């Protein structure tokens, strides 16, 4: 049996050859510290309802992990819980989440999508620990349920990456005020380039839906996509320009 269990607590998962998809039994009511530490072959994990915490370094260095089902009963993600999960790209955070521990996502360089109740929040995790003050505000934002408090955190944040992510999340969840809309519009080109650099076409599509990308900046973004080989982004921008802005020179369509 791959699960070491003490009463109702999973103490340790012991990897078995070929086992890449793990479903933790329903009878498990708690996870022990480092229970999946260094389990490098697991790709998918389904956690049962009833758990309240992802513990200290629970999934640290699970380098192949790219999807995990976190139950709505989770209220805390512990210190270093997903650190080193270099293939994890998205987390669906439960609405009941109250806190995220330090270095919870450290080294999870591909992780940039957090699905929250109001929509998708995007920020690149390999930048997250450069400024501890802004990192603390970001974690509060991810756990905050009150929109007024989210807007307050936005106003306190100094790091442009985090602030843009907050602005577009609030915009798409219908919670942005005039100041946030102005900030998002002013930073649309920078944010679009960020999404292109990270091959985050879903994010780029969301930016296009705001209508903030206009004739004055579409040409620069198309040129950026060409120079940096962002082919999918280029096609999205091209389709947007063709549909909503139009072409002054038909040869522009043949650049890539």
């Amino acid at each position: 049996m791959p699960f070491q269990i003490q009463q109702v607590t999973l103490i340790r998962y012991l990897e078995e050859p070929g086992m890449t998809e793990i479903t933790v039994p329903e009878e498990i009511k708690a996870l022990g510290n480092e229970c999946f530490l260094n389990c490098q072959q697991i790709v998918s994990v389904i956690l049962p309802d009833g758990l309240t915490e992802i513990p200290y370094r629970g999934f640290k260095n699970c380098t192949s992990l790219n999807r995990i089902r976190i139950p709505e009963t989770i209220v805390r993600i512990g210190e270093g819980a997903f650190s080193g999960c270099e293939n994890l790209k998205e987390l669906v955070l439960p609405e009941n989440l109250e806190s995220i521990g330090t270095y919870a996502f450290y080294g999870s360089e591909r992780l940039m999508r957090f699905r929250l109740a109001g929509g998708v929040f995007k920020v690149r995790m390999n930048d997250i620990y450069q400024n501890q003050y802004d990192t603390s505000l970001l974690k509060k934002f991810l756990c905050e349920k009150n929109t007024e408090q989210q807007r307050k955190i936005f106003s306190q944040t100094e790091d442009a990456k985090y602030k843009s992510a907050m602005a577009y999340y609030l915009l798409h969840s219908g919670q942005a005020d005039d100041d946030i809309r102005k900030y998002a519009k002013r930073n649309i080109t920078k944010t679009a380039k960020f999404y292109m650099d990270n091959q985050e076409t879903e994010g780029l599509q969301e930016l296009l839906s705001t209508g903030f990308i206009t004739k004055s900046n579409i040409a620069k973004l198309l040129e950026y996509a060409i120079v940096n080989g962002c082919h999918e982004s280029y096609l999205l921008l091209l389709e947007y320009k063709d549909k909503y802005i139009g072409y002054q020179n038909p040869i522009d369509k043949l650049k890539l």
Side-chain angles (χ1 to χ4, degrees):
M1 183 176 180
F3 302 104
Q4 288 186 349
I5 301 172
Q6 184 175 331
Q7 295 181 339
V8 293
T9 299
L10 173 59
I11 302 300
R12 180 70 175 159
Y13 172 75
L14 303 175
E15 283 194 297
E16 293 186 341
M19 290 286 291
T20 61
E21 298 185 358
I22 310 302
T23 299
V24 176
E26 292 289 335
E27 58 265 28
I28 299 297
K29 303 302 179 186
L31 302 178
N33 292 341
E34 301 183 339
C35 53
F36 284 90
L37 178 67
N38 295 329
C39 292
Q40 297 184 0
Q41 72 176 18
I42 60 173
V43 173
S44 170
V45 175
I46 297 175
L47 297 176
D49 293 330
L51 298 177
T52 59
E53 181 177 6
I54 308 294
Y56 170 75
R57 303 205 308 180
F59 293 89
K60 179 179 173 64
N61 292 339
C62 291
T63 53
S64 298
L65 183 66
N66 64 32
R67 58 188 181 275
I68 180 169
R69 186 261 186 183
I70 300 178
E72 284 296 321
T73 48
I74 293 290
V75 296
R76 172 175 166 76
I77 295 177
E79 179 181 346
F82 295 102
S83 61
C85 293
E86 59 188 40
N87 275 294
L88 189 61
K89 297 179 181 179
E90 176 177 303
L91 277 181
V92 179
L93 298 179
E95 290 189 48
N96 294 317
L97 189 64
E98 296 175 359
S99 66
I100 297 173
T102 57
Y103 296 98
F105 312 113
Y106 185 74
S108 299
E109 296 186 356
R110 296 189 182 185
L111 180 59
M112 71 175 291
R113 287 193 298 267
F114 292 92
R115 294 195 178 270
L116 309 173
V120 181
F121 181 92
K122 301 182 181 70
V123 64
R124 189 171 54 195
M125 289 296 105
N126 61 344
D127 295 331
I128 194 172
Y129 294 101
Q130 293 180 359
N131 185 323
Q132 193 58 44
Y133 173 73
D134 282 307
T135 298
S136 178
L137 288 176
L138 177 61
K139 290 188 293 186
K140 287 181 182 178
F141 186 91
L142 290 172
C143 298
E144 183 56 61
K145 314 298 185 299
N146 185 287
T147 301
E148 185 176 337
Q149 287 300 315
Q150 285 181 326
R151 289 199 293 260
K152 184 177 180 180
I153 293 170
F154 165 85
S155 68
Q156 294 172 335
T157 301
E158 298 174 359
D159 190 292
K161 295 184 296 294
Y162 303 164
K163 198 159 189 170
S164 292
M166 291 177 188
Y168 286 103
Y169 171 78
L170 291 168
L171 188 70
H172 283 287
S173 62
Q175 305 297 335
D177 58 20
D178 287 343
D179 288 340
I180 291 174
R181 290 182 64 85
K182 288 177 183 177
Y183 182 90
K185 191 171 185 177
R186 192 165 62 246
N187 287 273
I188 189 76
T189 301
K190 184 187 298 182
T191 306
K193 289 179 179 178
F194 168 76
Y195 288 159
M196 285 192 276
D197 289 342
N198 288 277
Q199 301 178 4
E200 185 45 51
T201 52
E202 181 184 356
L204 185 60
Q205 285 178 315
E206 289 179 358
L207 291 188
L208 292 171
S209 72
T210 65
F212 291 167
I213 295 178
T214 62
K215 185 182 292 186
S216 64
N217 49 33
I218 190 71
K220 291 180 180 179
L221 290 176
L222 283 165
E223 190 64 30
Y224 187 87
I226 293 169
V227 171
N228 292 277
C230 305
H231 303 293
E232 287 188 45
S233 296
Y234 180 85
L235 293 174
L236 279 175
L237 291 165
L238 200 65
E239 181 182 3
Y240 178 83
K241 182 176 181 180
D242 200 18
K243 187 172 183 180
Y244 296 105
I245 298 176
Y247 288 86
Q248 293 180 336
N249 184 357
I251 197 117
D252 288 345
K253 289 189 174 184
L254 306 177
K255 278 191 174 181
L256 190 63

